[in-house]
Amino acid sequence: MPKGREKWITVATCLLAGWMSLGCESVDSQGPLTAPVSIGYLAPPKLAITNELTRVGIRSSHLSELDDKRLKEELTDTSVSGGPIFVQATDVPEGKYSAPLPQHYLNLHYYTDSQTHDYQVQQKACNSSTRDSCAGIDSFHVRCEKTSTIAVLDVSITKVKNSEDIFSRSYSERTEFDRCENDSDQSISKSRDAAFLAILSRLKEDMLPHQARLSASLIQFPSTLTEPYNTQFLRAFQLALRGQSVSACHVFIELYNELKQDFSLSYNAAVCFAVVGDLDATDAAYKIAESLANNTDKIHFIKKLSEKRHIIESARTQLNALQQSRTQAP
């Protein structure tokens, strides 16, 4: 493709992105356009101590019935075979219970403190109107209230055999909700619920394998693709700019499987394979993109993608080790 046409296509793509209120980092024919995407991957528990636990009974206090049920379901309902095994705690002696007793207890003590204070806001409304506008405006005050909730979850892990504490941590969360006259009177319950869900999310990340996310970018350098492939690439990139990254990735992967020998295409395919969870294909596409990185800008993106590959690969290695330790545990 002639160099002048390359620059025209790059500039046109960026102008279209701007017209659609979308991001675009550069219109220089030597620099890339970028479209943000998110890569999801399974990460191991953040707390190393949970890797040593094979059977943990849950004991909770001061939780509402709904929150207690939600917490235990979230902790025990994990589809990851290598994750910590949480069970309902029981004090029934072994032999009278259909399953082995817990080896450890996860002790959870939850409490909240909510405070509400009143304030006023000024509002305006028409007191009379003509056909097209207000003839007069009244100003009045509306009473509102702000509810602040501080929630704390104290967590400890103890050995069943000798009641020895092997871990303790306190999670806290602060939330605020505003309610004015004529709003539904649910500010306290909403505030408490939001605080509990935030703490539960952090507890799960500490105790269980969980979905983590990395930010990445699809890129568009001046293309070496011939038609109609270049047009398909540009359309896919526009989908990515509009936030339709999954649809864009399907196109990039299809083009890559057929062509491969273009830096932007191979790089985007490497990112997209990570987006869909195919890490082996990510590595293959990455190596091709790396071999085609012939300037500073391209090498910069290769380094960024390399960092993300190492994070995901490290997580996969840790999860595999965790699963093996569980399989070998008595």
Side-chain angles (χ1 to χ4, degrees), residues 3 12 31 41 52 55 75 141 244 250 253 272 275 298-299 312:
K3 192 170 184 179
Y41 67 102
E52 306 168 10
R55 191 169 183 81
L75 291 180
H141 288 87
Q244 301 177 40
H250 286 315
I253 288 173
C272 286
V275 168
K298 292 177 180 178
I299 292 172
I312 297 173

Side-chain angles (χ1 to χ4, degrees), residues 124-138:
K124 295 181 179 180
C126 288
N127 58 25
S128 62
S129 62
T130 63
R131 180 174 180 178
D132 297 321
S133 63
C134 286
I137 298 176
D138 281 339

Side-chain angles (χ1 to χ4, degrees), residues 117-125 138-146 178-183:
H117 71 269
D118 295 339
Y119 64 97
Q120 290 186 335
V121 295
Q122 188 175 23
Q123 295 184 352
K124 295 181 179 180
D138 281 339
S139 180
F140 58 95
H141 288 87
V142 174
R143 188 182 69 82
C144 301
E145 63 181 23
K146 181 184 292 290
D178 291 277
R179 184 180 74 86
C180 294
E181 289 177 356
N182 302 322
D183 292 342

Side-chain angles (χ1 to χ4, degrees), residues 56-60 63 68-80 83-88 106-108 153 155 199-209:
V56 184
I58 303 172
R59 298 193 297 193
S60 57
L63 277 169
D68 188 60
K69 180 180 179 182
R70 179 164 31 183
L71 181 143
K72 290 176 179 175
E73 286 178 348
E74 291 285 344
L75 291 180
T76 58
D77 185 20
T78 174
S79 60
V80 183
I85 301 173
F86 291 97
V87 297
Q88 299 297 323
L106 177 68
N107 307 294
L108 306 165
L153 181 68
V155 177
I199 287 177
L200 179 56
S201 176
R202 289 161 54 196
L203 177 66
K204 286 176 60 182
E205 288 187 0
D206 282 347
M207 297 290 179
L208 293 170

